[in-house]
Amino acid sequence: MSLFPFFKNNTFARGVHPDANKSTAGSPIRRMPFASRMILPLVQHIGKPAVPLVRAGEEVVRGQPIAKADGFLSVPIHAPADGVIEAIELKPSARGPWVESIVLRVYEGSTQEIGWRHPPDIESMSPREILQAIQDSGMVGLGGAAFPSHAKLAVPEGTKIHTLVVNGCECEPYLTCDHRLMLEYPEDLMAGIRLAMKSVGAKRAIIGVEDNKMDAVAAIQAAIEKVGPADGSITVQAVPTKYPQGAEKMLVKSLLGVEVPSGGLPMHIGVVVNNVGTLALLGSLLPEGQGMTERVVTVTGPGIKKPGDYWVPLGTPMRTVLKWAGAQDANEQEIILGGPMMGQAVASLDVPVTKGVSGILVFDKLRIEADRKLWPCIKCGECVKACPMGLNPSMLGMLAGRREYEAMGAQYHLGDCFECGCCTYVCPSHIPLVQQFRVAKGILRGKAT
Amino acid sequence: MNAASVPPSQPSTPSAAMIRTLGLVATVCGILIVTAYEGTLEAVAANKKLALERAVFKVIPGASSVKEFVVGPTGVQPAGNGVPEGAVKLYAAYDQAGSLKGLAAEGAAKGYSDTVRVLYAYDPEKQAITGIGVVSMRETPGIGDKIYTDAAFLKNFEALDVTLSADLKSLANAVKVVKHGGKQNPWEIDAIAGATVTCKAVGKGINESAQKLLPLLLPHLDKLKAGEPARPTPHPAASPPLSKRGQGGFDSGSASSQRLNPPQPPFEKGGSRASHAEGAAS
Amino acid sequence: MTARIELRTSPHVVKGTSVEHIMFNVVLALLPIAAFSVWQYGLSALALIVTTTLTCLASERLFNRLSGQQSTLSDWSATITGLLLALTLPPAFPLWMGAIAGFMAIALGKALFGGIGFNVMNPALVGRAFVQAAFPVAITTWVPAFAPRRFTEFVPTTFTAPLMTPPDISAWALNAKPAALDGFTGATPLARWKFDNVLATPHDFLSGAVTASAGETSAILILVCGAYLAIRKFMDWRIPVAILGSAALTALLFQLIDPARYPDPLFVLLSGGMILGAMFMASDMATSPVTPKGVWIYGALIGVVTVMIRYFGGLTEGVMYAILLGNALAPLIDQVTQPKVFGEVKRARVKEKQT
Amino acid sequence: MSEPLSSIFISTLLANNLVLAMFLGLCPFLGVSARLNTALPMGAASTFVMLVASLCAFGLNWLVTTFNLEFLRLISYIVIIASAVQLVEMVLKKYSPVLFRALGIYLPLITTNCAVLGVALFQTARDYDFLQSVTFAVAGGAGFTLALLLMAGLRERLNLAIVPNVVQGTALSLMLAGLLSLAFMGFAGLGAGE
Amino acid sequence: MIPGQKQLSNLEELLEGIWKQNPVFVMVLGMCPVLAVSVSAVNALSMGLATLFVLLGSTLLVSLLRNVVPREVRIATYILIIATFVTVVDYLIQAISLAVYDALGAFIQLIVVNCVILGRAEAHASKNPPGRALLNALGMGVGFAIGLFAIGAVREILGAGKLFGFALFGPDFQPWVIMVLPPGGFFVLGAWLLLFNWLNSRKAAPVKPVEGHAHV
């Protein structure tokens, strides 16, 4: 890269350019009504499951905590609507296995009013208190990983954070929820950013937005001028539109020109990355002392009649969301939670919207079946040119085919793969590389323990 | 195979026994080798003489006996033990009457895939080369082997001019290979189209050898003409002729054109292939 | 909603290219070149192209059946092999030899190693190298381009009886050449440069009026067709650029050293199969390195080796062997040019600073 | 004829590669070329032994010709080369355990590598002088290593391929060797000089 | 004999090397001369006979000395004995035909390092009485010669259109020059091995399920 100084700090190497398909970017966020029954898995985040605070038959009001965090790496759950707890039982989850979930029967009269809140004095809070408040709000990263936000903002002793990177890339095709949030709630975003900066002790914040969302850049710029600090500690910067620009390490490279060490975190180079959606929601919830009860979800895809961005109460079953958004009654469909590149297909329509769900995509059968014939690897090298992590997926794939998992991990850096899907996306032989790597990682993890 | 396979518990043999056994084996082997060597000596020598004569007679028709000489700065001597520094080996062919029919020497140069060795006949009267034969080569069959099948090419060597310059130090005109159809002077060799590399090797080998040999040779020609009686057969082990132990053979060790088209009778099949060779013009 | 739900793993969208798609486009890109060669050399070239292509397809099918695979004819790769092979052979090449080349290309070049994607060397070149070694005379027998009767009669060698030596056509060639072309020597420009020191002009090349293999004279056409593939990303543009670039640089270097002896880079690029090889054969995906850095090394190596063979070797043309050697080296190149893993160097630098 | 050293080197390394054109050292070539990490040490060890053998042979040949004992040439070559390898092994073991660990297991294999004896015999047959012999041995070893590396690269790659069962094993190696040999034919005439 | 191993009958002992343990096609040993000299049937047979001679001679001597030679020096002894017989055969060939000698070249002397011979001396002759050892060596030697001949014949037929120098296809035959070049040697031996593999696989499993193919 140093050969081309004028490209420096611009973007990361390699990556792909899938069709954006962001047709929902133009229309405002709408509100989705309550479903009659909500399902709230106790684990909607990475870490230990929350511990229920309620019993079956108990009445709850919207916003009331119904499960508490179990230790540091855990977050509470708040009731998304007024209603009565019907049961605490096993329900299907997006990842497949059935998980312990709180089932809430919603009262028909439940309103959007939050009935339960404790507004704190934000300005006087110490960083530690802010973190506690964040944990109490039940916030997790809304980008998809659902890592508890307070844990991410908790800087270990001795680590110094200089920059907060705010991820407004939304590089996944189809998804527009972050885009809409940036347009509609820039001031909440500012509030969230200041809270996050304070809690990590960062001197500056850079908001990175892909250059296909210049309107969002403008909106943020306006918000900075209006409510932001005048010292220029918060800036917004457009980055080239390229997948996976929104991956932490890629964005840090694009904005700051430094690479996060292999196997390390951005924290190790003094950077904390947070998603715009997370911070915007944080900025609106924390001053009010509210818990997280809903989130913006992009519901779109060729199988949806009324695509758009929706405020969806957490726990709303997929079935209800799709009905509301007008899913076509096709015979065979693929339903994906998250973006098309890294999202997860769900097996059951009873799976609820959880904190980490940024999008619900419905693809129809024709699209699925198109051109998926498998060929042996022809060593075209497209995957090598696509892998943002600088891996050699072609080689990894062939090794996986031979079940040489050890070599994949030891010689070919399988551990650095974050399953962005670029390799599979470009593969003309249609080899399910990402899936092979997922399996290999699982086997290696199994061997390690 | 190696010592590691010997179980450590095995009692080791005393060195005296080892040396005794080795000595015994060595004695047996020595006897075998010497017997074989002595037993085959004559047959081998006869074979080699035959091979040499066949090769030389091919380039000097009409000859009936061959003698080997070494030509050096000190003059001409019958070939003895090896070739001294700066000297060249020479074969003199005589007819039945015992008069000199011609001289032959070897030239060699790197060809397309390996060294090409040719035997050329030199006629002191004409001061020209009057024939060539291939001793060994590994050129591509079908292309490189045209040097002994292509009649037009062989015509070059009916009278290839190798007159010495006035100071008798070198050839008046170096032997030169020119492109097919470009021969204008008697010292030029008209190359075979498509087999230029091999042809050039032949020309180069002859030129180098002749440049070295002829200035040394000419002052002593009389000695050879006299047919100075030499030993009837040179000692074969000491100075094997032509097929100097292995030279031809080793170089042609692997895939060699020589085995399919043995160079011994190089000119016999010329006719059948000549037309084809032309056709391959490329 | 009673819809059946499909379960798939991410990513759920794909780029929409496929092996067949790529291969089909390569065939498309080769067709104009093949057509030009037919226009240039007439019926014999056509017969040769048809023969090698059919042989390749038949051989592919045969090996499919022997190994119990489904037919792989539909992936077009055997068609590419057949077409390319014909384009690298002399137009007057006897058909039976062409058939052997086609069979060997598929057998030795591809089927042995498990078929598409696993071949270690470019199949077409394996086929060509085989017949070049087997029939050195026939493969250096050239005919004049644009012979007036090329569409009404075959070159006499075309229909040589199987296993038999083709007839001599030097007299025929003199007779058949276009009247405007005087002094047909039957030698390629490279041979004429190497052995006779006669340099063909760029005009000779561009007009196609040189003797050559069936498909290698139309430099501009090949460049255009290659560019089509490169632009549509069916081929790695780095490979031809690296090969032609390194060949031109090497040639330039030699010309600077001794202008009297070495030709100018343009001659080196235009003569022989340089452009065809760089565009269509070295760029074969399965046999070239996968890493971009590796591709540059691979291409540069092929360019340099080609010029070295042409200048100092016994052969007049070196593209084919250079590419085969490049293919042989590709796994090693891949080994040493594994891409830099994101964050790796940084860590090394940090370590350096600490020590 | 006295060949220039550069010509000997290039020709032995490429055009007349010991393995691919002269068929020497095929057993280790087929046996040790399965993986790249064994190919390189094997090549290095063989090169070294070839050099040692070449030096021994050069001295021996002088002795044998001086005393007119040509019939003992072969027997003395093989005995001296075998002893030399043993000696090298012992010296390595004593003075460079690291190198011994890397090369040690290959040394016994090399004793029966006909490329080693081949180098000795060919240099004798071609009447090479001292420098020519050394060049020849080094180039021969380098050529052997090159062939070994190329072969190992291809075989490692094919390890990941779906090679038909019938082709597995030595047959595959031989076919690969044939292809390499075919590719090396392009070097014919290189090093012939002008 | 290793205890537990079945004692082979004399015929089996002989056939061992010719078929079951054929040094060329099954064990793939001593490849250097196999490929280098097999450009014609005559050369191949000559080489085969030369090897057979060395094999027989060295086997006899090794077997006779098997109780005298100490373990520590046995390899040295074997090499010495083999080298002796190679030297002998070297002179014999020179005496018989210089043309053959030139054609085989250095590969006669390289018989010394032919693993087949050392392998036989070590694995068989040093443990068996002369009679059986010779029988085994004869089998191996003949097997080796047959292997060489099989390759030499193919290479000569295709490479020159001849067998033992007799033209098979008339004067207009186009020789496949590649067959007498190094790649041809590799390809022909490889092809023979393929043929044997194929026959074996058919014998082993007449109805074999389709091997895992990439398309499934």
Side-chain angles (χ1 to χ4, degrees):
Chain A
M1 277 296 110
S2 54
L3 272 176
F4 307 99
F6 42 93
F7 285 149
K8 210 185 153 195
N9 291 357
N10 213 350
T11 185
F12 62 99
R14 298 174 284 268
V16 295
H17 295 97
D19 291 340
N21 279 313
K22 302 208 183 224
S23 60
T24 52
S27 39
I29 306 176
R30 283 170 280 176
R31 225 160 244 291
M32 202 167 268
F34 293 122
S36 58
R37 194 170 270 107
M38 304 271 203
I39 299 157
L40 296 145
L42 289 174
V43 51
Q44 303 185 22
H45 52 266
I46 288 176
K48 287 178 89 175
V51 180
L53 294 170
V54 292
R55 274 165 304 161
E58 219 175 298
E59 280 197 323
V60 293
V61 294
R62 181 164 154 87
Q64 172 191 345
I66 53 173
K68 63 171 184 181
D70 180 14
F72 177 68
L73 202 60
S74 183
V75 288
I77 295 167
H78 301 81
D82 302 342
V84 59
I85 305 296
E86 211 170 59
I88 300 176
E89 58 184 13
L90 289 176
K91 285 283 179 189
S93 77
R95 300 249 163 222
W98 288 40
V99 294
E100 198 78 6
S101 309
I102 298 173
V103 183
L104 174 72
R105 185 156 53 77
V106 180
Y107 289 154
E108 282 197 20
S110 176
T111 61
Q112 302 284 358
E113 277 305 303
I114 305 282
W116 191 95
R117 59 181 183 189
H118 300 281
D121 178 11
I122 284 286
E123 294 304 322
S124 64
M125 282 164 85
S126 71
R128 189 170 290 272
E129 285 165 334
I130 295 177
L131 286 182
Q132 187 57 53
I134 294 172
Q135 184 174 17
D136 291 344
S137 74
M139 279 298 300
V140 299
L142 301 186
F147 191 78
S149 296
H150 69 279
K152 197 158 185 185
L153 294 171
V155 181
E157 210 60 44
T159 305
K160 194 131 176 60
I161 301 297
H162 53 76
T163 306
L164 173 74
V165 165
V166 184
N167 186 350
C169 293
E170 196 159 55
C171 57
E172 280 264 16
Y174 288 98
L175 300 190
T176 53
C177 52
D178 284 354
H179 186 183
R180 288 312 308 177
L181 274 170
M182 286 187 279
L183 285 177
E184 297 180 28
Y185 303 93
E187 290 171 20
D188 284 349
L189 178 60
M190 288 304 126
I193 289 173
R194 267 189 303 221
L195 280 168
M197 282 171 76
K198 191 170 177 188
S199 66
V200 297
K203 292 278 173 293
R204 61 168 178 168
I206 306 174
I207 306 161
V209 180
E210 275 191 350
D211 57 11
N212 59 352
K213 296 183 262 290
M214 292 315 283
D215 51 348
V217 174
I220 292 172
Q221 195 62 50
I224 293 175
E225 277 152 27
K226 194 171 158 204
V227 301
D231 58 0
S233 59
I234 300 179
T235 50
V236 59
Q237 193 177 321
V239 288
T241 302
K242 178 160 83 167
Y243 182 84
Q245 188 67 265
E248 274 189 358
K249 293 183 176 184
M250 307 303 127
L251 184 60
V252 170
K253 167 84 171 91
S254 297
L255 290 176
L256 305 176
V258 287
E259 288 186 8
V260 177
S262 159
L265 294 171
M267 197 181 279
H268 298 143
I269 53 167
V271 180
V272 164
V273 185
N274 250 278
N275 177 268
V276 276
T278 315
L279 291 183
L281 200 55
L282 210 59
S284 76
L285 293 182
L286 237 54
E288 301 293 324
Q290 292 174 351
M292 181 179 174
T293 57
E294 57 186 359
R295 67 156 297 159
V296 180
V297 178
T298 307
V299 185
T300 182
I304 296 286
K305 282 186 202 129
K306 288 191 285 176
D309 294 301
Y310 296 92
W311 280 106
V312 181
L314 296 174
T316 311
M318 217 54 64
R319 193 184 303 278
T320 318
V321 177
L322 293 182
K323 203 169 175 183
W324 183 255
Q328 278 153 6
D329 209 12
N331 228 353
E332 279 176 53
Q333 289 178 320
E334 188 186 19
I335 297 160
I336 297 148
L337 298 190
M341 297 298 286
M342 291 183 75
Q344 174 119 31
V346 289
S348 161
L349 290 178
D350 296 324
V351 169
V353 171
T354 53
K355 291 176 181 173
V357 174
S358 49
I360 299 171
L361 308 181
V362 179
F363 289 145
D364 52 30
K365 180 182 170 183
L366 274 178
R367 199 189 153 76
I368 301 162
E369 300 249 312
D371 206 10
R372 285 269 174 132
K373 188 176 180 190
L374 222 61
W375 290 97
C377 173
I378 56 165
K379 293 157 196 83
C380 60
E382 286 299 318
C383 51
V384 179
K385 282 168 215 147
C387 181
M389 292 306 287
L391 308 180
N392 183 346
S394 154
M395 191 67 191
L396 283 168
M398 283 186 286
L399 286 170
R402 285 262 146 185
R403 300 194 172 78
E404 302 214 6
Y405 302 121
E406 301 287 342
M408 292 171 75
Q411 278 167 270
Y412 293 96
H413 311 275
L414 177 65
D416 282 307
C417 169
F418 65 98
E419 300 168 21
C420 64
C422 290
C423 48
T424 313
Y425 173 78
V426 296
C427 182
S429 291
H430 308 141
I431 300 169
L433 292 164
V434 174
Q435 178 59 15
Q436 291 180 339
F437 302 161
R438 232 175 250 142
V439 171
K441 282 193 213 168
I443 287 169
L444 284 180
R445 262 198 304 273
K447 276 187 185 161
T449 50
Chain B
M1 281 286 292
N2 49 16
S5 61
V6 183
S9 59
Q10 191 121 1
S12 62
T13 322
S15 338
M18 279 196 237
I19 292 169
R20 201 166 52 233
T21 324
L22 275 179
L24 171 78
V25 174
T27 316
V28 173
C29 293
I31 292 169
L32 271 172
I33 292 182
V34 174
T35 315
Y37 175 64
E38 293 295 336
T40 57
L41 198 58
E42 265 174 46
V44 173
N47 263 338
K48 287 185 174 167
K49 181 159 181 283
L50 210 66
L52 169 70
E53 284 179 349
R54 207 186 291 152
V56 173
F57 295 169
K58 199 65 66 179
V59 291
I60 308 174
S64 66
S65 68
V66 179
K67 279 185 202 131
E68 285 180 75
F69 295 94
V70 171
V71 188
T74 51
V76 177
Q77 277 116 28
N81 219 336
V83 182
E85 195 69 28
V88 183
K89 186 175 272 184
L90 179 74
Y91 309 105
Y94 302 90
D95 62 11
Q96 260 160 351
S99 58
L100 186 66
K101 277 298 280 183
L103 300 166
E106 223 184 272
K110 198 98 175 167
Y112 177 74
S113 44
D114 209 345
T115 306
V116 176
R117 287 169 196 279
V118 291
L119 188 72
Y120 63 93
Y122 172 66
D123 188 329
E125 305 293 310
K126 296 184 194 158
Q127 295 224 26
I129 284 167
T130 53
I132 59 161
V134 176
V135 178
S136 78
M137 65 167 210
R138 280 178 57 196
E139 306 297 279
T140 317
I143 291 186
D145 58 8
K146 284 187 207 156
I147 57 168
Y148 58 80
T149 58
D150 189 312
F153 180 68
L154 294 170
K155 238 177 129 102
N156 285 310
F157 304 98
E158 277 172 5
L160 184 68
D161 178 54
V162 284
T163 319
L164 282 185
S165 61
D167 63 356
L168 298 182
K169 290 254 167 62
S170 65
L171 299 186
N173 301 292
V175 172
K176 223 170 98 190
V177 179
V178 297
K179 73 173 223 177
H180 183 58
K183 176 166 173 151
Q184 284 168 344
N185 300 304
W187 56 84
E188 285 170 347
I189 300 173
D190 192 357
I192 307 169
T196 321
V197 178
T198 312
C199 296
K200 278 195 169 161
V202 172
K204 192 180 167 204
I206 291 176
N207 184 48
E208 277 178 3
S209 170
Q211 294 274 21
K212 192 171 167 193
L213 170 73
L214 297 186
L216 293 172
L217 172 71
L218 282 196
H220 310 287
L221 257 183
D222 299 344
K223 214 171 172 187
L224 294 169
K225 273 187 189 148
E228 186 181 293
R231 277 170 292 149
T233 317
H235 197 267
S239 61
L242 257 196
S243 289
K244 179 159 167 285
R245 192 182 147 98
Q247 260 185 352
F250 281 139
D251 280 351
S252 56
S254 66
S256 149
S257 60
Q258 182 176 357
R259 254 150 283 144
L260 286 173
N261 302 297
Q264 274 84 2
F267 303 127
E268 284 167 4
K269 342 188 282 174
S272 71
R273 296 187 69 96
S275 60
H276 168 215
E278 296 271 307
S282 59
Chain C
M1 243 171 70
T2 53
R4 232 193 81 203
I5 300 174
E6 278 282 326
L7 264 188
R8 285 181 185 275
T9 54
S10 67
H12 306 276
V13 286
V14 290
K15 200 177 176 187
T17 52
S18 69
V19 171
E20 294 106 312
H21 190 212
I22 296 175
M23 299 292 174
F24 179 67
N25 274 283
V26 177
V27 172
L28 280 189
L30 280 173
L31 283 179
I33 302 171
F36 182 79
S37 122
V38 171
W39 184 61
Q40 207 177 3
Y41 295 106
L43 290 176
S44 285
L46 181 65
L48 185 64
I49 292 170
V50 170
T51 306
T52 55
T53 310
L54 288 183
T55 320
C56 283
L57 288 170
S59 312
E60 177 97 349
R61 188 77 194 89
L62 174 74
F63 286 109
N64 283 160
R65 192 163 292 179
L66 281 180
S67 61
Q69 291 176 330
Q70 291 164 301
S71 167
T72 50
L73 297 190
S74 63
D75 67 21
W76 297 102
S77 63
T79 315
I80 296 178
T81 303
L83 278 177
L84 264 183
L85 180 61
L87 297 181
T88 60
L89 293 171
F93 204 55
L95 295 185
W96 74 268
M97 293 182 183
I100 285 177
F103 175 78
M104 288 300 170
I106 297 294
L108 289 179
K110 192 171 166 195
L112 269 182
F113 308 109
I116 186 171
F118 300 126
N119 46 324
V120 294
M121 291 180 185
N122 183 314
L125 286 184
V126 168
R128 201 216 190 243
F130 188 91
V131 286
Q132 164 131 25
F135 313 116
V137 176
I139 209 153
T140 45
T141 303
W142 313 100
V143 290
F146 302 116
R149 281 170 302 173
R150 63 190 186 279
F151 293 118
T152 51
E153 66 173 19
F154 287 94
V155 181
T157 49
T158 297
F159 288 106
T160 309
L163 297 183
M164 293 300 141
T165 311
D168 177 14
I169 56 162
S170 48
W172 178 91
L174 276 179
N175 198 21
K177 71 175 173 57
L181 191 76
D182 45 53
F184 173 76
T185 60
T188 59
L190 276 169
R192 283 170 63 209
W193 164 72
K194 188 156 188 163
F195 300 124
D196 308 336
N197 225 355
V198 178
L199 214 53
T201 60
H203 173 78
D204 293 344
F205 290 113
L206 297 181
S207 65
V210 291
T211 50
S213 295
E216 58 183 37
T217 53
S218 44
I220 293 174
L221 190 60
I222 300 171
L223 284 175
V224 169
C225 293
Y228 164 77
L229 288 182
I231 288 165
R232 296 208 54 193
K233 301 213 167 168
F234 296 127
M235 170 184 81
D236 193 337
W237 57 272
R238 296 173 184 86
I239 294 176
V241 169
I243 294 177
L244 299 177
S246 77
L249 277 181
T250 318
L252 188 67
L253 192 74
F254 277 108
Q255 209 200 11
L256 288 179
I257 293 170
D258 187 353
R261 189 161 151 216
Y262 299 109
D264 62 308
L266 196 63
F267 174 81
V268 171
L269 293 189
L270 288 176
S271 57
M274 183 64 107
I275 295 180
L276 185 71
M279 281 288 175
F280 287 97
M281 287 182 271
S283 60
D284 176 16
M285 290 167 170
T287 53
S288 54
V290 295
T291 62
K293 207 197 298 171
V295 160
W296 285 115
I297 298 176
Y298 164 85
L301 205 90
I302 292 176
V304 173
V305 170
T306 305
V307 175
M308 289 298 161
I309 291 179
R310 283 182 177 183
Y311 284 12
F312 307 110
L315 295 157
T316 54
E317 172 62 306
V319 175
M320 170 178 77
Y321 289 110
I323 295 176
L324 287 175
L325 288 163
N327 291 163
L329 269 167
L332 292 182
I333 296 175
D334 260 342
Q335 284 281 336
V336 297
T337 58
Q338 284 300 318
K340 180 189 82 81
V341 173
F342 189 92
E344 276 279 290
V345 164
K346 180 72 194 168
R347 192 160 53 172
R349 218 179 282 152
V350 168
K351 265 184 200 157
E352 263 168 40
K353 269 184 195 162
Q354 283 167 349
T355 51
Chain D
M1 189 187 68
S2 171
E3 275 182 87
L5 296 183
S6 62
S7 160
I8 292 180
F9 190 86
I10 292 175
S11 144
T12 313
L13 177 71
L14 301 172
N16 293 317
N17 186 287
L18 285 191
V19 183
L20 298 175
M22 307 295 251
F23 300 112
L24 291 174
L26 282 179
C27 293
F29 176 66
L30 297 176
V32 197
S33 60
R35 299 210 77 88
L36 274 173
N37 50 9
T38 52
L40 196 59
M42 176 67 184
S46 298
T47 309
F48 180 67
V49 171
M50 278 180 207
L51 188 61
V52 172
S54 158
L55 294 177
C56 292
F58 189 80
L60 272 178
N61 188 41
W62 178 80
L63 274 178
V64 160
T65 15
T66 313
F67 295 102
N68 256 333
L69 294 168
E70 266 97 352
F71 52 85
L72 287 182
R73 186 184 279 139
L74 176 67
I75 208 162
S76 58
Y77 275 18
I78 186 75
V79 168
I80 291 294
I81 289 173
S83 321
V85 176
Q86 282 284 305
L87 205 68
V88 167
E89 198 178 341
M90 287 193 288
V91 169
L92 269 189
K93 201 171 186 172
K94 183 134 193 240
Y95 294 105
S96 176
V98 182
L99 206 60
F100 178 76
R101 257 206 308 280
L103 303 183
I105 47 165
Y106 302 107
L107 285 171
L109 278 174
I110 294 168
T111 322
T112 50
N113 181 346
C114 49
V116 176
L117 184 65
V119 163
L121 288 175
F122 277 89
Q123 77 180 39
T124 312
R126 293 181 187 170
D127 272 338
Y128 281 160
D129 64 24
F130 182 74
L131 276 181
Q132 285 175 323
S133 297
V134 170
T135 312
F136 179 60
V138 172
F144 179 72
T145 313
L146 176 67
L148 213 54
L149 282 178
L150 287 176
M151 186 74 175
L154 293 179
R155 282 180 68 179
E156 276 203 357
R157 173 178 207 150
L158 285 177
N159 248 342
L160 303 173
I162 307 170
V163 175
N165 275 2
V166 176
V167 195
Q168 299 280 11
T170 319
L172 180 69
S173 304
L174 282 168
M175 288 300 187
L176 281 179
L179 286 181
L180 281 180
S181 173
L182 198 58
F184 266 59
M185 285 189 61
F187 290 127
L190 255 190
E194 279 301 303
Chain E
M1 282 263 93
I2 301 149
Q5 193 175 331
K6 213 179 81 194
Q7 179 75 32
L8 299 170
S9 76
N10 285 347
L11 187 65
E12 282 169 338
E13 186 85 78
L14 183 68
L15 288 179
E16 186 81 348
I18 297 182
W19 186 246
K20 265 168 79 181
Q21 294 290 317
N22 186 297
V24 176
F25 295 127
V26 181
M27 301 204 287
V28 203
L29 286 175
M31 286 299 97
C32 310
V34 167
L35 295 177
V37 306
S38 62
V39 286
S40 74
V42 174
N43 286 355
L45 265 189
S46 315
M47 187 69 189
L49 291 178
T51 311
L52 177 64
F53 175 84
V54 176
L55 196 52
L56 288 177
S58 57
T59 301
L60 180 65
L61 211 51
V62 167
S63 174
L64 283 174
L65 294 172
R66 71 187 187 283
N67 295 325
V68 191
V69 178
R71 288 196 67 86
E72 290 86 343
V73 292
R74 68 191 196 293
I75 298 290
T77 320
Y78 301 158
I79 290 183
L80 208 60
I81 292 172
I82 295 168
T84 303
F85 280 98
V86 172
T87 312
V88 170
V89 89
D90 189 69
Y91 283 111
L92 281 179
I93 294 180
Q94 280 189 67
I96 295 165
S97 161
L98 215 54
V100 171
Y101 181 78
D102 281 344
L104 299 187
F107 288 91
I108 299 173
Q109 305 201 0
L110 284 171
I111 295 177
V112 176
V113 280
N114 188 329
C115 346
V116 177
I117 299 175
L118 193 61
R120 280 301 95 189
E122 163 77 3
H124 198 275
S126 63
K127 295 169 189 146
N128 284 287
R132 287 195 71 81
L134 278 180
L135 213 54
N136 182 280
L138 185 66
M140 282 291 163
V142 171
F144 189 72
I146 291 176
L148 263 168
F149 172 73
I151 294 164
V154 172
R155 292 179 75 181
E156 190 178 353
I157 291 172
L158 283 177
K162 299 174 183 168
L163 190 61
F164 291 114
F166 296 110
L168 298 177
F169 304 102
D172 277 342
F173 178 75
Q174 167 70 54
W176 297 31
V177 178
I178 190 172
M179 287 300 160
V180 299
L181 297 175
F186 287 113
F187 288 143
V188 172
L189 178 55
W192 273 114
L193 289 182
L194 275 183
L195 186 70
F196 279 96
N197 282 355
W198 189 61
L199 290 177
N200 282 341
S201 72
R202 275 168 63 102
K203 211 162 52 187
V207 198
K208 224 175 97 213
V210 176
E211 265 303 311
H213 179 243
H215 297 190
V216 284

